[in-house]
Amino acid sequence: MNTTHGGTGQPAPTTVCPRCAAAEFDELAVSPVPGVWRVLRCDRCLYSWRTTEPARRSSRAAYPERFRMSRRDIDEAPHLPPVPDIREDTPGGDR
Amino acid sequence: MSYDDLRSYLAALDRQGQLLHVTERVDPEPDLGAAANAANRLGERAPALYFDNVTGFESARIAVNAHGSWANHAIAFDLPPETPTRDQVREFIRRWENFPVAVERRQDPPWAENTLDGAEVNLFDVLPLFRLNDGDGGFYLDKAAVVSRDPEDPDNLDRQNVGTYRMEVKGTNRLGLQPVPMHDIALHLDAAERRGEDLPVAVALGNDPVISVVAGTPLGYEQPEYEMAGALRGAPAPVSRAPRTGLDVPWGSEVVLEGVIESRERELEGPFGEFTGHYSGGRNMPVLRVDRISHRTDPIFESLYLGMPWTEVDYLIGPATCVPLYQQLRADFPEVRAVNAMYTHGLLAIVSTGRRYGGFARAVGLRAMTTPHGLGYCKTVIVVDEDVDPFDLPQVMWALSTKVNPARDLVNLPNMSVLELDPGSQPPGITNKLVIDATTPVAPDERGHYGQPVTDLPESAAWIDRLTTLLAERGGDR
């Protein structure tokens, strides 16, 4: 188990998103037992991870190439299902 | 005996030696996903797993692999755990005939004991969430029953849908949801979005085992899942009204989420390791906002591992895919004997049928592709004679190896629809489809040299009994 960083008793620091390398992320949750882990979510690609996960999931350096996302991957991701046209005869039709 | 909730089912699994309680401490990752993955590799008697000692959690209770073996699938249907697969499918077909069975409306569901509303809503406070596969974009709810109604006809309970769709946890009250276009919730969402309205939904987590099966069964648009659950359980399905949305949810659920799929919103979702044995995503998908959580005291979080087949999902939806295809084919073609569509949710299906005349078998294969489920699946349909058991793969291979002449027996159809998750489709959602006619040609399609089949000797059936008895007696002497 790798719940602490360098024996400090604190969860390992995370500087960038493991998947897309963005520097901004939110904290979604902290462990009910204080100080064991946090769950973080990248603001850009929405990847979320627990700070105690194996490095292949929680560290940019170890994150596998095949799962990484580039800015282009994010910008060009398809919309599924496509948003349909608004029906003109409904109350929401003027949105 | 039918189960009214997940707990009574887990207790039944435990009584039959099919539940393993892991008491030693495990990490949420990678242990929970890896253990569930490993359970799928233990064979036909693989147990469900139950964890209640997870690093960093104070009171997590997690069940995985509840349906993940033929023994468990049998117990879910209150059959002896050693019931052979084809007999489980046969029993499923028999009970299906009792559809519809009206629901039983019950008050005071146990999930009403605790409520989080509005700003109090935090999924992480209630659910011990964890990641399954390395490339997953986050933590997922992958075994929940999602309830919605047709916005054009909200009082029509025949159109109330109960389905399982993957949901990525993207915030404390925010889920990404994948509505496959062939599934009913996609029709509901499309109607709501055309009206510019949010789609109210309820998400029931931790359910009795038959609810989980019917939520993954491709029923017709106006076949209500709860009434099918009643038929399959042999007792009416107990349901209660969800307080915020008014939707019907299982009385026995562990946790009920209520909220809306936000109209015309799309947001990056995935990837997620899917039942195809491949990741899918990331794509911009609809967003579900959770406005209320109701839950039992000390709820059990049920999850399912999926990835390279076979995994729990293949047991969960295997017979549940065979039977509607069988019923829909039988409605037009009573010659159909059996359907095995257990491979990748029916991306490949094997149909055994009698033949009225030459060309008939391939018509049955084509019909399988135009059933509601077939529109998104049935990429390959193998049609075999009525005396070939589609659940006996050596027999199917024999038919393929001897009855097929590629010059005449392949029907290759271009540009057909398939679910976008099919990794071979190009563009995603479009594929060729193939009927392989592995039946014996009949007039006027006269070809090949099939007039002298070697059949089992007429006396061999009696000898099977005799040898079986002798073997049993020998066993008794030892």
Side-chain angles (χ1 to χ4, degrees), chain B residues 28 47 70 79 108 117 136 281 346 348 368 386 427 431-432 448 461:
Chain B
W70 287 123
L79 297 168
D108 302 323
D117 220 333
D136 291 352
L348 182 145
E386 70 268 37
T431 185
N432 278 30

Side-chain angles (χ1 to χ4, degrees), chain B residues 394-436:
Chain B
Q395 282 190 30
V396 174
M397 289 296 129
W398 168 77
L400 282 171
S401 59
T402 61
K403 304 283 186 177
V404 175
N405 179 342
R408 300 273 291 270
D409 286 319
L410 305 182
V411 184
N412 186 355
L413 299 150
N415 299 328
M416 304 286 279
S417 63
V418 76
L419 84 165
E420 286 141 353
L421 299 182
D422 173 19
S425 64
Q426 185 61 37
I430 296 294
T431 185
N432 278 30
K433 289 191 172 181
L434 182 66
V435 177
I436 304 176

Side-chain angles (χ1 to χ4, degrees), chain A residues 41 48 50 56 78 81 87, chain B residues 129 131 134 152 170 194:
Chain A
R41 184 201 57 204
S48 61
R50 199 185 319 269
R56 65 182 192 267
R87 258 175 49 179
Chain B
L129 300 159
R131 189 191 315 275
D134 282 354
E152 304 285 352
K170 301 207 282 191
R194 286 184 190 281

Side-chain angles (χ1 to χ4, degrees), chain B residues 145-151 160-161 163 165 167 175 177 179 185-186 188-189 192 198-204 242-249 256-262 286-292:
Chain B
V146 181
V147 186
S148 60
R149 290 188 187 171
D150 185 340
Q160 178 171 263
N161 181 60
Y165 311 98
M167 288 177 284
L175 301 167
L177 180 137
I185 198 172
H188 293 177
L189 179 63
D198 294 341
L199 181 70
V201 291
V203 178
R244 185 182 176 94
T245 54
L247 294 163
D248 294 325
V249 295
V256 174
L257 316 177
E258 291 180 89
V260 296
I261 300 180
E262 295 179 339
V287 176
L288 195 166
R289 187 188 73 232
V290 181
D291 297 318
R292 183 183 176 110

Side-chain angles (χ1 to χ4, degrees), chain B residues 77-347:
Chain B
F77 282 79
D78 197 26
L79 297 168
E82 62 277 3
T83 307
T85 308
R86 78 193 66 177
D87 291 350
Q88 294 194 38
V89 174
R90 205 168 286 154
E91 178 64 10
F92 198 129
I93 289 169
R94 193 188 68 76
R95 296 187 193 180
W96 178 292
E97 304 292 344
N98 297 326
F99 172 81
V101 172
V103 301
E104 176 192 339
R105 296 196 172 274
R106 285 193 197 168
Q107 305 299 315
D108 302 323
W111 46 258
E113 288 171 5
N114 306 279
T115 299
L116 300 169
D117 220 333
E120 300 171 320
V121 167
N122 186 336
L123 295 164
F124 290 89
D125 285 347
V126 177
L127 305 173
L129 300 159
F130 58 94
R131 189 191 315 275
L132 292 170
N133 280 306
D134 282 354
D136 291 352
F139 307 159
Y140 273 79
L141 310 180
D142 65 355
K143 203 181 178 182
V146 181
V147 186
S148 60
R149 290 188 187 171
D150 185 340
E152 304 285 352
D153 196 4
D155 296 326
N156 184 347
L157 293 184
D158 288 349
R159 292 185 168 190
Q160 178 171 263
N161 181 60
V162 183
T164 300
Y165 311 98
R166 81 186 205 196
M167 288 177 284
E168 180 181 2
V169 178
K170 301 207 282 191
T172 53
N173 68 341
R174 208 168 168 77
L175 301 167
L177 180 137
Q178 172 179 266
V180 171
M182 291 77 186
H183 295 168
D184 291 347
I185 198 172
L187 300 176
H188 293 177
L189 179 63
D190 185 74
E193 292 192 321
R194 286 184 190 281
R195 297 160 66 103
E197 297 173 356
D198 294 341
L199 181 70
V201 291
V203 178
L205 292 138
N207 298 306
D208 88 60
V210 171
I211 290 291
S212 299
V213 169
V214 296
T217 302
L219 298 179
Y221 187 58
E222 297 201 356
Q223 287 182 316
E225 281 80 3
Y226 292 130
E227 297 185 9
M228 184 59 77
L232 297 178
R233 282 159 44 91
V239 302
S240 298
R241 184 144 296 189
R244 185 182 176 94
T245 54
L247 294 163
D248 294 325
V249 295
W251 170 87
S253 300
E254 294 288 320
V255 178
V256 174
L257 316 177
E258 291 180 89
V260 296
I261 300 180
E262 295 179 339
S263 186
R264 314 181 70 77
E265 287 291 321
R266 300 290 184 271
E267 191 178 81
L268 200 60
E269 190 270 359
F272 181 61
E274 272 285 359
F275 69 96
T276 60
H278 296 78
Y279 288 94
S280 80
R283 299 161 296 179
N284 289 292
M285 299 266 225
V287 176
L288 195 166
R289 187 188 73 232
V290 181
D291 297 318
R292 183 183 176 110
I293 303 177
S294 307
H295 67 91
R296 292 185 182 222
T297 302
D298 296 334
I300 299 169
F301 177 52
E302 189 189 17
S303 185
L304 163 155
Y305 178 84
L306 72 174
M308 184 58 71
W310 269 45
T311 66
E312 181 182 353
V313 73
D314 296 293
Y315 296 100
L316 179 67
I317 62 179
T321 309
C322 300
V323 178
L325 274 173
Y326 170 81
Q327 298 288 13
Q328 289 156 15
L329 287 175
R330 287 273 297 187
D332 293 334
F333 304 122
E335 292 87 350
V336 169
R337 290 292 175 88
V339 175
N340 178 357
M342 298 200 301
Y343 303 99
T344 325
H345 204 6
L347 267 179

